[in-house]
Amino acid sequence: MTQELVSLTIIMAVAAVSPIVAQLIPGKFIPQTVLLLAAGTALGPYGLGVIEVNDAVKLLNELGMAFLFLLAGYEIDPKRLAGHQGKVGLLTWGITLGLAWLVVTFLPFFTKQGINGVATVIALTTTALGTLMPILKERNLEGTPIGDAIISYGTWGELGPILAMAILLSTRTGWQTMLVLGAFLVICLLCAMLPTKALRTGHRLYRFLTENANTSSQTLMRLTTFLLIFLVTISALFELDAVLGAFAAGFILRYIIPDGSKSLEMKLEGVGYGFLIPVFFVVSGAAINVRAVASRPALLVAFIVMLMLIRAVPVYIAMSLDKRKNPLSSHHRVTVALYCTTALPIIVAVTSLAVKVGTMQSDTASTLVAAGAITVFLMPLLGSITYQVADVHPVTAVREIAHTPSDWREIVHEHAQVRALLHHQDRLKRMAETLESLEKQEGLNGLDSRRAELVERARLEIDRQLKELGLDPQLTTQLPHNYRYPKN
């Protein structure tokens, strides 16, 4: 017991320090999740060895993964799945699955590496929506057009691989697998229908549960935890992966409470992000064998590149073809595509299952998990860079320079100033007021004329971005306070 407590103490120390370190890093470009993974790798069995992944830690790790997928499932609006963007997301994921199968089956590289199996195909189609949610919260992307698009496409990037794991990696025959999944679906429907019926009829038990939700009884929190563990247990009894039960629990919870519950959400996030989910990420990092990864750098790089080609490119193309329904600009579409290429929990689950049944070597699994961990850092960072570069409007700048090459320094400087003005709208407002007062008094000199041009250019850019967000510039002159996607 002493060793278990020591390991857990170290893990929670890492969890407590990570947000502080992330805050101190200039630019805050490294998510807390990356720090947890890195610390787990450094302190785990393949690093300093101070964290021992024993049975107690493994159980907390499983619960952490369950809470991660519970919260991911809870973020999904069932109406969104049936809506236009949800259907496009499903079609896009299907195309991604087909591309992954073609690449893994026919590309000689994967055959030589011995990973041309179903597990690798599934790993290449995933979006780590559960991992992305805290990053989206940190960067104020929740509830924005960018965040909504990431969730819409990322939902199928998480749900699709979970279903594929249950069907394609099952050791049963086809009809047995479908029978088991059918039985699991019936249980999920019962779990969703009974509370919903009680809610509609105003049953006495339901009133009791809601009235005591915020007392020491914590009735709704206890029932939610029971639902989660019950469905995870059913998944284990049916020999399905635990992520299926956890994801289903979150989806059912959202179905029961379609408008959400701030009180319940705060409690779930407190238990999840405050305790169990950091344990999952640290233990996931501890599973990475650094020496094995270092011995196969080609596989590491190739897998990340394939993730971008197989997952990011179809998402970008789908959004570009669907511009009428999804009018995001090109750099926003790139940002969404990059975020949707973030992958980790499904890779951990699918490689663990492949190692267990003997279809993948542990060193190979460790390399793929390391690749997934790198995407958690790399893809959000690239998404941030694409937006920052796009703010400068490089294509427009190149055209202006091509027209008047001798003014290239001034053109570059102007574009940089416009971007700075957009970052500081208060400064833009003050400058506009100053120019208006000067104009009324004595007119504008050469310098003030230049400033006026910059202000007008920034105003036009704000109008363009407001229209992109579906807002009327005549009615809304100020961009939303959290417009910076992603937040720097």
Side-chain angles (χ1 to χ4, degrees), residues 316-381:
Y316 178 82
I317 293 174
M319 296 184 72
S320 299
L321 295 176
D322 192 37
K323 283 198 291 186
R324 181 174 296 180
K325 294 283 187 179
N326 193 4
L328 291 177
S329 63
S330 58
H331 59 277
H332 283 168
R333 296 196 296 272
V334 171
T335 300
V336 172
L338 288 169
Y339 269 92
C340 286
T341 313
T342 305
L344 182 64
I346 294 292
I347 294 179
V348 173
V350 76
T351 54
S352 299
L353 188 57
V355 170
K356 188 181 297 183
V357 300
T359 58
M360 184 180 290
Q361 296 180 352
S362 59
D363 286 357
T364 303
S366 188
T367 303
L368 298 189
V369 171
I374 290 172
T375 65
V376 175
F377 163 72
L378 183 63
M379 300 308 168
L381 176 63

Side-chain angles (χ1 to χ4, degrees), residues 23-333:
Q23 183 72 19
L24 293 175
I25 295 173
K28 304 174 188 175
F29 64 93
I30 300 181
Q32 298 176 35
T33 304
V34 174
L35 298 177
L36 294 170
L37 290 165
T41 303
L43 301 175
Y46 301 106
L48 298 177
V50 294
I51 294 177
E52 181 182 315
V53 185
N54 43 53
D55 290 342
V57 172
K58 286 180 180 177
L59 176 60
L60 291 175
N61 173 59
E62 290 292 320
L63 289 174
M65 184 170 65
F67 257 86
L68 185 68
F69 281 96
L70 169 77
L71 292 170
Y74 180 74
E75 292 293 338
I76 298 169
D77 184 354
K79 295 178 182 177
R80 182 178 290 166
L81 289 179
H84 173 78
Q85 201 167 43
K87 293 175 181 176
V88 174
L90 173 59
L91 178 61
T92 304
W93 182 80
I95 293 171
T96 300
L97 183 65
L99 288 173
W101 180 80
L102 288 173
V103 167
V104 172
T105 302
F106 296 106
L107 199 67
F109 175 81
F110 285 97
T111 304
K112 290 178 182 179
Q113 296 290 333
I115 54 170
N116 56 336
V118 175
T120 308
V121 172
I122 295 173
L124 284 169
T125 68
T126 182
T127 296
L129 186 61
T131 304
L132 279 175
M133 290 315 301
I135 297 175
L136 297 182
K137 292 177 189 294
E138 287 174 24
R139 301 188 174 186
N140 293 327
L141 283 170
E142 254 193 325
T144 65
I146 295 286
D148 289 343
I150 292 170
I151 292 174
S152 293
Y153 285 90
T155 294
W156 287 109
E158 188 124 73
L159 180 57
I162 289 172
L163 295 174
M165 286 172 59
I167 297 170
L168 301 178
L169 294 180
S170 175
T171 56
R172 305 181 182 90
T173 60
W175 70 269
Q176 289 176 328
T177 300
M178 299 311 295
L179 185 64
V180 167
L181 287 175
F184 182 78
L185 178 61
V186 169
I187 293 172
C188 290
L189 289 174
L190 289 173
C191 290
M193 290 169 61
L194 292 176
T196 305
K197 187 175 180 181
L199 171 62
R200 289 174 180 170
T201 59
H203 194 275
R204 186 181 302 172
L205 176 60
Y206 177 79
R207 292 198 300 272
F208 170 79
L209 294 174
T210 53
E211 289 170 0
N212 290 273
N214 295 315
T215 67
S216 59
S217 299
Q218 292 293 321
T219 47
L220 289 183
M221 184 63 185
R222 293 186 189 186
L223 278 177
T224 301
T225 308
F226 166 72
L227 174 66
L228 171 64
I229 296 176
F230 172 70
L231 289 180
V232 168
T233 303
I234 292 296
S235 299
L237 292 174
F238 285 178
E239 296 182 6
L240 300 169
D241 198 274
V243 297
L244 179 61
F247 199 82
F251 194 75
I252 290 169
L253 188 61
R254 170 60 72 179
Y255 177 79
I256 296 170
I257 316 173
D259 297 327
S261 169
K262 290 296 182 183
S263 175
L264 181 61
E265 289 166 20
M266 288 180 63
K267 294 167 189 174
L268 289 173
E269 290 180 356
V271 175
Y273 294 126
F275 177 33
L276 294 170
I277 293 175
V279 173
F280 166 71
F281 283 121
V282 173
V283 174
S284 296
I288 298 175
N289 186 339
V290 179
R291 292 182 181 178
V293 174
S295 66
R296 308 181 74 173
L299 175 60
L300 180 73
V301 174
F303 191 80
I304 294 173
V305 171
M306 285 297 105
L307 271 171
M308 295 184 70
L309 293 176
I310 291 172
R311 186 69 184 136
V313 173
V315 170
Y316 178 82
I317 293 174
M319 296 184 72
S320 299
L321 295 176
D322 192 37
K323 283 198 291 186
R324 181 174 296 180
K325 294 283 187 179
N326 193 4
L328 291 177
S329 63
S330 58
H331 59 277
H332 283 168
R333 296 196 296 272

